[in-house]
Amino acid sequence: MAVWALGINHTTAPLDLRGRFAFAIDQVEPTLRGLRASFSHQPEAALVSTCNRTEIYCAGEKTELEHTLDWLAHSGGVSPSLLRAHAYTLEDGLAARHAFRVASGLDSMVLGEPQILGQLKDAVRASEAAGALGTTLSQLFQRSFAVAKEVRTSTEIGAHSISMAAAAVRLAGQLFEDLSEVKILFVGAGEMIELCATHFAAKTPKTIAIANRTLERGEKLASRFGGEVMHLAELPDRLHEFDAVISCTASTLPIIGLGAVERALKRRKRRPMFMVDLAVPRDIEVEVKALEDVYLYTVDDLAGVVQTAQASRQAAVAQAEAIVDAGVQSFMHWVDQRGSVPLIQQLNAQADEWRALELHRARKLLAKGEDVDAVLEALSRGLTQKMLHGAMAELRAGDANARERASSAIQHFFLRKER
């Protein structure tokens, strides 16, 4: 089986291009169905999509990277040449290595962050539900989870790492002298917003509010932090009330526009606003960044902040890479062995057929009252003759080269000493 991977991430593609290839978890199943149907022979497939990456993993009889890239480009509405300029394509061992590094947090914007492992597991579950995973990709991802666990427990790769949420708090602290006097609005109620709210709540801000499409989920999160909840439709009228806005939803279009922010600034009498857009695609229109009194940061803007303490983790990275190397070698050995499975199955089937024939013959002789020892002797002799017939025929072949090859094989398989 061939294994291949295609992807874009925070190091290879700008945010707006990544936004074209952002798939919500409920889009994974129909997307994979469309991808697999586009091949003449449906390969195994998995789709991983986070704010920092979109990746497709496939396994099939032969590598079809160009077709995969063309299909993904079409799904995102861009030319294959544009996507190719920002994508990475990997085969076999390199594809496995990449998957293991992603699961271990070695390929993340925040080195060693654990969130990607949960996102990867969610993606695998969604791919399984779509019926797109087979034996090879299942092995690939299960081994990636095992490698990630070993990296997490055997190294200090996650020590001192600064999460996106902590980075947002640090940046807010640089703008506002006292975060306890700041009114903060969180837009969305997913995992990332929950993480951000937890970090900001530790600074005891003056006000915490949650704006969400469904009030029930927003209320659940707001109650944890003693905050209020509002519907997304209230945003334009209430945006001016907040000094800081942290947004991360699954919306495919911006939900905070330039006009809304301009009106909010006017009502705030030009008091500055701190805004963080952690969504891909964007939640906040890109033009907002140009406003004089707005400090807007995206996930890519936070890259420099989260990479602090990098040097202190280099030893842990070396340990983690060694664990990944061992995992890749083990997986590729497994893949290589899979090529022998059909032959092993044929050999077992032939042996079972011979055994059944000799047993049938022995039972008939016993039923006739033949001596047990004589029957056993005949059974063993019959099995031995069937097993050696092919080898003996090759040794008697007229072709000298064939006899030499047969002689070497027989010595290897039948006459070698026990190891």
Side-chain angles (χ1 to χ4, degrees):
M1 291 288 281
V3 179
W4 68 96
L6 159 73
I8 55 174
N9 65 18
H10 59 282
T11 64
T12 69
L15 190 152
D16 288 330
L17 182 62
R18 299 204 307 273
R20 287 182 168 272
F21 300 98
F23 298 92
I25 199 70
D26 60 355
Q27 295 176 294
V28 170
E29 186 170 344
T31 301
L32 285 177
R33 278 203 303 267
L35 169 64
R36 298 180 74 218
S38 71
F39 289 90
S40 55
H41 300 287
Q42 291 195 359
E44 300 177 32
L47 173 64
V48 178
S49 183
T50 74
C51 60
N52 287 329
R53 73 183 64 248
T54 293
E55 296 177 343
I56 292 174
Y57 294 86
C58 293
E61 294 179 2
K62 62 178 181 178
T63 302
E64 298 192 59
L65 271 168
E66 281 302 311
H67 177 87
T68 310
L69 187 143
D70 289 347
W71 182 90
L72 184 61
H74 178 75
S75 74
V78 304
S79 67
S81 60
L82 175 61
L83 179 58
R84 190 176 291 108
H86 294 279
Y88 41 89
T89 55
L90 305 158
E91 297 181 48
D92 300 325
L94 292 178
R97 181 183 302 280
H98 182 75
F100 293 176
R101 295 186 81 252
V102 168
S104 302
L106 291 169
D107 194 61
S108 297
M109 182 180 290
V110 183
L111 183 63
E113 57 93 8
Q115 188 179 10
I116 183 61
L117 183 58
Q119 293 169 327
L120 195 57
K121 288 181 177 180
D122 289 342
V124 170
R125 279 192 288 268
S127 300
E128 282 181 326
L133 286 193
T135 304
T136 302
L137 285 189
S138 291
Q139 275 287 322
L140 174 71
F141 288 116
Q142 291 306 315
R143 287 168 183 258
S144 75
F145 301 154
V147 165
K149 182 179 180 181
E150 186 176 354
V151 167
R152 183 69 49 191
T153 56
S154 302
T155 76
E156 294 186 2
I157 191 69
H160 317 299
S161 66
I162 301 174
S163 70
M164 302 295 280
V169 173
R170 176 177 292 190
L171 288 171
Q174 293 174 2
L175 179 63
F176 301 108
E177 290 184 7
D178 187 358
L179 288 179
S180 66
E181 293 299 316
V182 173
K183 297 180 179 180
I184 303 178
L185 171 65
F186 296 99
V187 184
E191 184 179 353
M192 181 57 78
I193 287 296
E194 183 177 358
L195 190 62
C196 287
T198 302
H199 278 73
F200 274 97
K203 302 295 182 180
T204 60
K206 189 172 186 178
T207 300
I208 288 181
I210 308 289
N212 197 48
R213 202 174 303 279
T214 56
L215 288 180
E216 182 181 356
R217 189 168 181 180
E219 285 170 350
K220 184 178 179 181
L221 184 57
S223 65
R224 282 186 51 193
F225 305 107
E228 64 168 309
V229 66
M230 70 174 76
H231 197 277
L232 278 181
E234 299 177 59
L235 264 181
D237 294 328
R238 297 196 56 188
L239 195 58
H240 68 282
E241 299 175 20
F242 301 96
D243 307 299
V245 179
I246 319 294
S247 186
C248 188
T249 74
S251 174
T252 57
L253 296 172
I255 56 177
I256 300 177
L258 176 63
V261 178
E262 287 178 325
R263 289 190 296 272
L265 286 172
K266 187 175 180 180
R267 295 182 68 176
R268 288 174 59 81
K269 295 182 172 52
R270 313 309 300 183
R271 283 183 293 119
M273 291 181 71
F274 173 76
M275 307 184 83
V276 177
D277 187 353
L278 295 173
V280 180
R282 298 174 188 265
D283 276 347
I284 303 173
E285 285 187 343
V286 65
E287 292 81 5
V288 170
K289 195 177 185 72
L291 295 176
E292 187 176 344
D293 298 301
V294 171
Y295 297 85
L296 172 61
Y297 299 90
T298 66
V299 286
D300 289 356
D301 295 326
L302 296 179
V305 180
V306 301
Q307 292 304 328
T308 59
Q310 179 97 1
S312 65
R313 286 173 294 184
Q314 288 311 303
V317 170
Q319 289 179 286
E321 294 285 11
I323 294 170
V324 168
D325 286 343
V328 171
Q329 289 177 13
S330 176
F331 174 70
M332 292 310 299
H333 178 67
W334 177 85
V335 170
D336 289 341
Q337 284 184 319
R338 294 285 296 169
S340 303
V341 168
L343 183 59
I344 292 171
Q345 291 173 335
Q346 291 175 27
L347 189 59
N348 283 330
Q350 180 64 79
D352 283 342
E353 182 182 335
W354 289 336
R355 184 173 58 85
L357 283 171
E358 292 305 321
L359 279 173
H360 177 69
R361 182 175 298 153
R363 289 190 178 106
K364 285 178 66 175
L365 292 173
L366 289 172
K368 291 179 179 179
E370 296 284 345
D371 178 68
V372 172
D373 287 340
V375 171
L376 290 175
E377 181 71 23
L379 183 147
S380 64
R381 188 166 49 251
L383 275 176
T384 302
Q385 288 173 346
K386 284 180 170 60
M387 290 175 62
L388 296 180
H389 173 73
M392 299 299 285
E394 288 297 316
L395 284 176
R396 297 190 185 102
D399 186 341
N401 289 332
R403 288 199 303 274
E404 186 176 344
R405 289 194 300 270
S407 176
S408 177
I410 289 168
Q411 289 182 51
H412 178 73
F413 290 115
F414 295 104
L415 304 179
R416 63 177 178 174
K417 295 179 180 179
E418 290 297 325
R419 294 176 179 175

